Each structure stands twice: as structure tokens, then as C-alpha cells.
Amino acid sequence: MSALKAALKAAKGALDAHQYGKAVENATQVLNEDPNNYHANVFLGLAFEKQGRNDESEKAYRAATSVKANDPLAWQGLVSLYEQQGGRKLDDYHDVALRLANIYEQVDDKTRCQTVVDKYTDFARKCGSRLQYKHSLEILLPGSTLYDYLEGRILHPSYTYMRLSELVEQEEKEKMNFEIGQRRTRLGAKIDQVTAEVKREVLQESDLETLYQHVIDWTDDQETRRLYEEKLLQHAYDTLIALPGAQKASKCEEVTRLAQGLVILKHPFALAWMITLEWKDIERIEELDAGLLHEYIEFFPDDGLGKILRGYLESEISVFPKRPAMEEADDDARKEIPVVTAEDLLILMAEGMEDRPPSVLAHRLMGEYYLHLDEYGSAAEIARKAHRQVKMDSRKSGLPLTNNLDAVNLMLGTALVHFQAPRHHPEARNLFESILARKPEDSSALVGIGLILEEQEEYEKAIIFLEHALEQAPSIRVKAEAAWCKALSGDHRTGCSELEECLVHVETPDLRTKALKAQILYRVGMCMWHMDDSKAARRDRNRAYARFISSLQTDLNFAPAYTSLGIYYADYAKDKGRARKCFQKAFELSSSEIMAAERLAQSFARSSEWGLVEIVAQRVVESGKVKPAPGSKKKGVSWPFAALGVVQLNSQDYPRSVVSFQSALRISPKDYYSWVGLGESYQSSGRYIAATKAFEQAQKLEQQLGPEVLGDTWFSKYMLANVKRELGEYDAAIAGYKQVLAVKRKEYGVSIASLQTLVEAAWHNMELGFFGRAIESVHEALETAKDLATWRGYAFNLWKSVGDLCSVYTYIQSYIEEFPVEAIKNLLRYDIELDEYSLLANLDEVNWEAFEASAASEGPYSVLDACCYAAVLAQKRAILCCAHDPHARAVAWYNLGWTEHRTHICQKGRKIQAMGSPFRYLKASVQCFKRAIELESSNAEFWNSLGIVTSELNPRVAQHSFVRSLHINDKNARVWTNLGTFYLSEGDTQLANDAFTRAQSVDPDHAQAWLGQGLLAAQLGVTSEARNLFAHAFDISNASAAQIHRPYTSSTLDHLLSSPGASDSPASLLQPLLALRQLSKLSLIDLPFDHKRSLFEERIGDHANASQSLSSVCSALEVEYETTESGTTLGHFAQAKADLSRSQLAECNFEGSAENAATALDISADDLQKSNAREKTRLSAYLSGGLAYFYQSSMDRSIEMFKGALEESHGDPDIICLLSQVLWAKGGEQERSIAREQLLDSVEKHPNHVETVLLLGAIAVLDDDQDTVDAVFDDLQQLRTREDLGLYQHKQLAQLLSAIAALYPGGRDQCLAQLAEATTAAMLTPSLPYSWSQVAKLMDESHPAKMAVLTAVRNAPPGGDLNAEDLAEAYAGAREGENAQRSIMLAPWKSLGWEALSLI
């Protein structure tokens, strides 16, 4: 025992000496002997603690506490050990500190007990987490084991609860932020939804409300209590909003209780007052506590709701008594109180609406005040906002708030009944009906539906609802409305008597009562007005008139009375001045006075005050009175929309005028004038199809309504004709103008439109190639112009049109002989001094004398000159007619410039002795365009025209003009094309190509741009591309584009002549032939292209027209040669004669063919120059003459011609074949021998010539020359395998081989030999029909016949060159009824088809 004490004492000494290792040894020694030694464990724990061996130290202290649990020494050691480790062992520290405090409590040592607690809580605050600190504070709260013992020595519970609430607030805030940040990153998460979910989760789990309540319960400070009551209410309110609907009920009760408690305590916490006032479900405002409202105003004087409440309570519509202080004040005090006007109250309440957060009560009060002021639009807007707020409050609180919602709906419905009636009546009726479904006796809803039915003119139903409302709540206003409905239903006497009864009870002098009295007086007057509609009764100033005056004396702002007085003054008193003033006053007071507005608009329209008409009509439209409500029997009012359409049409605002007229027609589908206005708007905006439909509908109404209703209706026909003109339907347009002129003969606009349409139709027909129709239009236009000149000879458009119709003849020169010279002469000299035509005569030398001289001359060119001069004179007269209109004068100079240029074009290149400079017309044209530019320098067309006419005179000016035109408008393809042509003429191919490319990009359908590109390609030698470009230009051009026709046809003919493989089928030649025929109509004589036309006609088999054309060419060339004696002309004449001979040969005019061939040979014989053209001409003449003599049975002369051809062709095998055939046909042995020799020589020289071998074989068969047949047979067998044989060469070869097989079967049966040859041919050429036809004939089977038909169809154009006769033969061989009919259809002159049909 003494040893243990010594060791224990040594351990204590070692600790004091800071020898902790030795202390550990000594303590361990003691514990080895006595493990339950308390002090040894304490010393060991302390030594370990000093050495930093915390776990071993804690273990030693714990061992000590297990030995003596109530001894504080070991517990103090643990406290010290935990404090050294910071917050790592704070949870253990809590238990140890609590145990140590309990030990001190047991020994009644309050000081040490408090020290332990304070030290622990302070340590937890500094080193622990928020949760650990909250855990430490729980020791100080009531209910803990130490609170009762240390009460008074530790913090008051209220402060502890406040600290805990602050900690929880911060903790919840951080948790919300953290969770929101985490969840918002999830896929598909929405920030609002995430925030609401997190708040709901946190608030539902929150302990704050409990802590706030503890603070409220324990604190002695009133300010703190009120603060935490506010926090409690706010937290409960936030929790209520966050909760789902099913869980709101109990929480709502709690929130309401808390809010009412604060209000009872008169604590100025806005949320509490808001909940108390806003969540009270009241049907009427008077159900609120007036004292509560006044208290709210005192607590929150600057709040928006406070201002609104103050304004409402001080207004005349307040349902609450005035404040006692105001009522009890003496007179002097009342004088000191400032008078508040209605305007001040409205401003105050409006300010409150701007300042106040969303509030149902505020909106209801403001809405009622607006209804009182008849500001129904503002009231409706306020009610809609209140409706949304009620819904929001209901969602927040979970309360149904049905009464609030019904009150708001009543307010909204009442406002919608009057606001822009009847636009919103369906919505208002739905609102009233929804209220009546729950509250059938609601008088306000009954009155609302009654007013709606009254507006819809369903007066009987309206009376029922209004009288039902009277039963529920008697009202003079409702009674008067019911009486008025009776009057409107036709019972004017009953209505008048009941209205007078109501008038007796209306004596209160306030403003609203005055308005009601004025209304009743006016309605009494209207009843009198309709009870006796005689003029005498209505003029009686003691009847209706007196009531209208009394109404205005009662209320000067009652608009309907002004309207009725206006009607009285206008229709009965005949005082238009007073009537207009009354209508203006009525409309100023109320835009719903549609009758007054209509009378005003008519008055303004009569004085052309269109701006005022627009203002009146627009205001009526905005009033909402014009369109009836859906389902209403009341008719709408369309005239405001029609008036707006007219105004917008006059101001050229066509899209808006279309909308206006459409709106008018939706209301009145049979409004004739709106249909006309709609059609005119469509036409002006370029929507011609829609305009056509509109005018056609108007004309249908003309037939339905008749002239008795509509009056004069020619304008719609005129406008429809204008639309047809814009659409290019000129015949229909002209017919329409004629219909109008039959009624309005001297209507200038219609007459000039008819004239211009006829001229446009002429140009249009000319572009389409209908040249005869164009001339007919010109003649008709001339008659119209002659008539118009007699009564409107000074019209610019008249003479412009006359100039245009004269110019038509200069383009269609083939009709020049039909030019009405005398008619034009008489027209031009009508009502004018002839000297006035001398304008610009110093330049162009065109005056009246020049025109008369050319008109008196004979010949087509003289007539053409007269036509050009007449066009120039007409354009000059047009200039004289527009001296006071700068724009028209500029256009007139422009037109004259083009006419002068056309005159220059018509005379350019003609071999005539012209007086003066050959460029005089061109110079005059330049002068005209310059004057046009002086008048209107920003017109791109004027600059473009100047560039065209100066291209020959001054290239620099031309280039500048084109560039200037493009500077003004660079989207004009014609200007780019003209610039490209200018560059091309100047030799700059690159710039020309760029300009043409730009023109094509601007307008791909501009044919002249493609023509220019083709000319450029031709100049560069790219003939194939040039030909394709010419063809494309022709495809997209019009029939009058001669400048395109010429290169297109020339390139096509050159291609046919230079390319042996080129297709010369009739289908491929139709387009160039059409172009040449159109070209022949556009010019008087164009010999090169007339000659080309004949060549195309010859190629397609139109030999009659070809002969006629060539005859004309020959005659013209003969006249030209007699004038010029040119060798070139003589060569052309010989060529034309040779071509004419060939055409006459084709049409079996053998005599003429032989004669012309001889003429061609005689003319060309004197030409010593050897040329390819001369050789071709003579060869053609020899061949044509030879064949012509052959068919005339003049064999000798035919042989001479073929010999000449043989000489010209240098032994051509084709000519040898022809010569041999003629020699054989002559029949002499010598001639036939010569034919054989010629063919044998040809075969030796040209062994691959098919026709020679075939002809030689045929002669051998005819001579029955077995040896020659055998020799030729081998050659024929070799020929049939060649790939370059044509369709008919194969046919001839097969026929010859079949004949040889039949005549020389070689020991076989004749039919079998022919069949063998036919089948061989079919196998070698299975795609050709003849061999299959032969097989079908020989085998008498259907399959070969079907193959013959199939291959024949495939070889017919465009698949091949098979002609109609061969195709008909194939069909006939099929021996079927259907195919036989096809054969007859293809070649009715052939007997095969008829025979086949007869055998069916």
C-alpha cells in the first residue's frame, strides 16, 4: 500500500515538475496494481493530455469517471481535454459539460455550475457548427434540467429563443439557396417551379413559427413582441402560399387569426391589414367595418389603398357615414377644412392605384367610382384586373372568395354593357348568367341582361328581366328602362305614360338624378315623336320638340337630345345651320350617337372635307356601336367603314381601304357602293382578280335591287372595264366601255379610256402576232378618236392615242395600204391652226405641208411616210394640249421623241432621195428627249431614251445617258441591255457581256438581253451558243420583235445548210417559218428574209406559198436590178429563179419550172466568176429543168439538162442515177446501153453509193440479166449490213432482194424464197417496219403484222422519218378493225386501209 502511495505521490510530483513521461510511468505503475485507483487514472489522463496523447488521455479520464461518477475532477479533465481539441469533440463536450453542471447542482454550487454552462455555450458558439450551437443553447431553455436551478443567472429565454430563431432563419435561407442551385441544373427544370418546391419543403419542415411563438410568449418587450408577431404572420403567410391546395385550410385559419390579432391590437403591419381586408369575402362594400377602414387610412396614409379608401369615403358614392369629427365640427372648423372636389378625389384615387400593390378592395372601390363617372372603359379594365387578383388571392389563401368574385364580375358585366356597346355584350351576358345560376334573384345581373336584350332589340324579353329586377329592388332608373323597352317594342303610349310616372318621382337635384331626368324627358319626347309621325305633329313645338328642349335644360350634356333636335331642324324646321350644330354637339358629347355622326359625315363629304369625314367615321368605329354582338338580331352599321374606305381610297392608302370596305360588307353584304369601293381598292392595289369578283358582285346587286334603289350604276361597269383592261382582257374591257358610253355618251373619262384600251389592244394583238386584229382595233380607235375630238379636242391623251394608232401601221407595214389617210388628215386639221404643227420643223422638216405631200403621193413607201408624219403631228399636238402641266408636257416630249426615232428607223436604209440630212429625225428625237429631261430630270426612262438615240450621233453622250439612267434605277433590264448593245457596237466585248448578264439577272424574261448575248457569241465565233441564245430569245419574245426574228431565222437556216446531221423535220422548221412569216407582216419588203421564208416553206412541203413568195422576190429583185444594175442583185435574181423552178417542180408546174430553170441558167451563164453559190444555183436549175422536161416527156431536153448537171457536179453519182433513169425511160436501146455504162462507171468510182447499186440491180432484173443479177446480188447482201443506211434505203433494198428472190428462186419455191429474204431482212433490221410487213404478207400470221405496227409507230415522227402512207400501210396489214380505221385516218387516199376494213 505504501508503495502505491509513493508511486502516486511521485506521479503528482512529476506532473508538477512537468515531467509527464515519468508521471505516466508512475501512474501506470499504480494502475497496474490497482486499476480502479481514481487519482492514478486522473494523473494518467492529465499526463497524456500534456503529451498530446488525447485518445489515451480521454480513456484514462473515462476510467476515472467510472470509478467516481460524482467527482468533478475527472469531468473537469475531460472538459479541459475537449477544449484543447477545438470543435472536434464538441458533441462529447456537450455531454461532459452537462454532467459536470449536474454534479455542481447536486452540491449546490451555482457559481461553478453557471461557469461550466457559460463556458460551454461560449465555446460552442466559437468552435462549433450552427447546429451544435443550437444544441448548446437548448441547455438554457425552459424544460432543461439546469434551467430551473440557474434561472436568473443565465440568459432570459426570450433572448435564447431569439438567438435560436436567427440561427434557424439563416440556416433555412442557406438551405433554400443550396437546394435551388442544385435542382435548377436538372434536365427540364424551371426556376419558378424549383423555387416553389424548395420553399414548400423548407417551410413545411421549419420550426421558426414555434420559436417565434416562444419569443412572443417569453418576452416582456412590446416592440420585440410586435416584431416577432409580424415575423410569425409573415412566415405563416409564406407557408400558406407555398402549401398545396388541399393543405391550405387549417393554415389559412391560423394566418387569418394571426392577422386579426394584429389588427385588433391596431398594430400597423400592412400584411395583417391586407389579409383582414382583402380576404374578407363580401358581396357589397357596405359589409366592411367603416371604423376599420378609417383606422387603415390613419395607419397608412401614404399607402395606395389608404388613398383610395380616403377618396372613396369622401366621395358622394360612399355607402358609409362621414367621419364623426367632420360631422361634429362647428362652422368655423368646417371653414378651415379644405373643400375636396370630385376631380381631386379622382386624382387621389388614381394615384393610389399607381402606388398600391395588387388589391381586390382597391380595384372594387376604383371600379365603382369609374362606373359612377360613366367611365366604362376604365371600369372594365379595373374589373378585369380585380378578377385576376381575386383568382390569385383565392389560389394563395385557399379560400373560394365567391362573393368577391361575383361582385367583380357584376362590376365587369355592368361596364361591358355600356362600354363600346354592343361589342362586349356576349361576354357581359355570360358573366350575368353565371351569377344568376347561383343567385337567381340578383337584381344587378337581371338589369344587366335586360339592358343587353334591349340593345339586341329583344324588347319583350328585356321587359321580363327588368320587371323581375324591379320586384327584387325597386328603382326609378330600372322602371324607366322597362317603360322605354315597351316604347321601343311599339307600345309608345304605355311607355310614354310610365315614363311620365317615373318623371314625377325624379326630383333630387344631384347630377346623376339630373341625367336620369334628362333621359326620361328625351324618351318621352321620342314616344311623342313616334306616336304621331305626321309632319304637322312633328313640327309642333309643344310636343316632342318641347321635351327635347326640357331634356337639354335639365342636362346640357345629354347627347341623344341634340341628335333629335338636329333631325328636327334638318328635316322639319329646314334650318341646316342649327341642325349641323346640334349634330356636332351630340357627336362631341358621345361617339355612340351614330345618327348624328352619319349626318355630319354626309355634310362633310358634300363639302369634300375628307379629313373630317375620316375623324367622324373612325370615332364611330372605335365606339363599338357599329358591329352587333354575335347572336344579336340587331343590324350593324356599315357606313362608318364605307366612309373610312372612301377617305383611304382618296388618300391612296389602298390596303387600309380594302380592310375598311371588307368590314362594311361583313355588316351589310348587300351594300352596293361598298362592293364598288372594294373593287376600286383592289384595282388600285393591283389585285385585279379580286377586283373583278367585287365588281361582278356589285353588278349582281344592280340586277337584284334595280335602278329605282341604286340610281345611276354606270360607274361599276366602267371600273370593271378598267380591271379587264389591266388584266389584258381588252375585248371585255372595250365591251364594258361601250355599255357605259351607251348611257353616258360624252363622259370624257370613259371615252378616253375606251380609246386608250383600243390602242393597247392593237399593240397587244401585234405582240401576239394577230396583226389583222390589231389593224381592226386601230380602225375602231380612230372612229372613237374622231368622235372625241368633236367635243374634247384639247385632250392630251386623245392626241397621244392618235399618234400611237398611227405608229401601229409603221410596225405592221404589210397593212400600210389600209392606212386611212383621209380620215387621219381630217382629224388632224380639226379645230387647229395648221401652222401650229410647225413645232421642231426646223429640225425634222415635218409639218402639215410635208404630210399632205406624202399623203398625195402613190406607193406603199409614200403611205408609210404619211403614216410616220401623221404620228409625229399627233404627238406635236399632244404637246400643245398640255402646256400647263409640266409632267404631262415631259411625257409628251418623250412620246414625240420616240415617234421621231421611229420615223428615222422606217426611212433608214431606203434608197430614196430624201431632202435634208438623213439624221434629221434622229436629231429631232434627241432634242425631244432633252426637253423631257429638262422638265423631269429624275426619270430613268428619259435618260435611257436619250442614250438610244445618241448612240449613232455621240457615243459619249449615249454612255453618259445610260449610266445616268442606271444611277436612278439600276433594276431596269432594258437599260442594261441597251448599255450592253452600246458596248458591243463599240467593240468592248467584256463590258457588253457584263451588261447583258446583269440584264438577264434583273429580268430573265427580257428577250433582248438574250439576243444581245447571242450577237456577242456570234461575233466571237461561237455559232452553236449563239444559235441557242437566239432560239431562247425567240421563245420568250413577242411576235413584233423583228430584231430577234432576223438573227434567229438566219442562224437556224445556216445550221441546216452547214450541218448534214441537223434535223430538217417539219416540226423543227415550224418555229423559224413562223418567225419569217411574222417578219413579212412587219415590213413592206425584206427580200433576204422573204427568200429564206420560201426555203423554209419548201422544206416543210408548202410549195404553193414557197412559189408565191419566190415570185414576189423575183419581181422585187427585177425592179431593183433595173434601178441599180448590180451584179450582186443579178446573182440573187438567178438564185431566186432557180429556187422558184424547184418549188414549181414540186407543185407539178413543170412548164413554169422548166422556164424559170432556163432563165436561171441563162442569167448565171454570163457570170464568169466561179463561186460555190453560182455552182449550186446552176446545179439546182439543171436538176429542176431536167426533171421538169422529164415529166413533160421531153426526154431529149431532159437529158441535156442532166448532162449539164453532171458537168456542174463533176460526175456526182446521184445525178448519174437521175440521168440513167431518164435514159432508161426514153426506151431506146442506145440510151439504155448508155445508162448501163454510166452506172457501171459510177459503181467503179463510187462502190459505196447505195442508189447506184440499187438502180443497177433493178435494171439487171428488168433486162433479165442473170450474170449481172448474181454480181449485184452479192453487193446487195453486203449493203444490207451497213449501219449508215436510211429507212427508205432499207425498204428499197428489201424490195429489190424480194423481187430477185421471186424471179430467181434458185431451185426453191418462189414463196419460200421470198419469205427467206423477208425473214432475213427482219432479223437484220428488226426495228424497221417494212421487213415485218413483208413477213406478215407471206406468212399470213398476226404476230409479224403486230411487230410491223409497233416498229412503224416507233419510226414515225418524232422518233423517225416514216411518212403517213407507210404508217397507214403498216396499220392496214394488221387486219384489225381498229388498226384499219387508224390507217384510213392517216392516209384516206390510200386504198389499203379501206380494203382492210372491208375484210373485217
Side-chain angles (χ1 to χ4, degrees), residues 542-715:
N542 294 321
R543 289 175 58 81
Y545 174 82
R547 301 304 187 277
F548 298 149
I549 293 297
S550 299
S551 175
L552 291 177
Q553 289 173 347
T554 305
D555 184 1
L556 285 174
N557 295 325
F558 190 68
Y562 284 107
T563 301
S564 299
L565 279 176
I567 296 173
Y568 171 82
Y569 286 126
D571 298 343
Y572 298 96
K574 304 301 180 183
D575 190 343
K576 294 184 178 180
R578 285 187 176 181
R580 184 165 181 171
K581 290 180 180 178
C582 288
F583 290 138
Q584 286 180 336
K585 183 65 175 177
F587 191 61
E588 287 174 4
L589 291 171
S590 173
S591 61
S592 299
E593 291 302 309
I594 297 177
M595 178 60 71
E598 184 176 7
R599 296 287 187 113
L600 273 180
Q602 291 173 351
S603 175
F604 292 142
R606 283 192 291 269
S607 58
S608 299
E609 299 178 76
W610 298 109
L612 295 176
V613 173
E614 182 179 16
I615 292 172
V616 171
Q618 188 63 44
R619 191 178 174 200
V620 173
V621 170
E622 291 173 353
S623 71
K625 289 283 187 179
V626 293
K627 292 183 179 181
S632 173
K633 296 181 180 179
K634 185 177 181 181
K635 293 183 179 179
V637 181
S638 63
W639 71 261
F641 293 106
L644 282 175
V646 173
V647 173
Q648 291 156 356
L649 193 61
N650 289 335
S651 61
Q652 299 181 357
D653 191 356
Y654 305 122
R656 291 179 60 197
S657 69
V658 168
V659 174
S660 297
F661 284 122
Q662 286 177 338
S663 299
L665 289 169
R666 290 190 187 99
I667 298 173
S668 300
K670 292 188 177 182
D671 186 351
Y672 169 78
Y673 296 102
S674 292
W675 280 112
V676 175
L678 179 62
E680 188 174 358
S681 301
Y682 276 136
Q683 179 200 2
S684 301
S685 57
R687 299 167 65 180
Y688 300 117
I689 301 299
T692 301
K693 294 179 180 179
F695 286 127
E696 289 176 349
Q697 182 63 31
Q699 291 186 352
K700 289 180 181 178
L701 291 175
E702 291 177 13
Q703 299 174 0
Q704 295 175 6
L705 301 177
E708 297 81 6
V709 177
L710 299 177
D712 205 353
T713 58
W714 63 269
F715 186 72

Side-chain angles (χ1 to χ4, degrees), residues 1102-1119:
D1102 189 2
H1103 303 295
N1105 281 326
S1107 299
Q1108 184 180 355
S1109 300
L1110 287 168
S1111 298
S1112 300
V1113 171
C1114 290
S1115 299
L1117 287 172
E1118 186 174 2
V1119 172

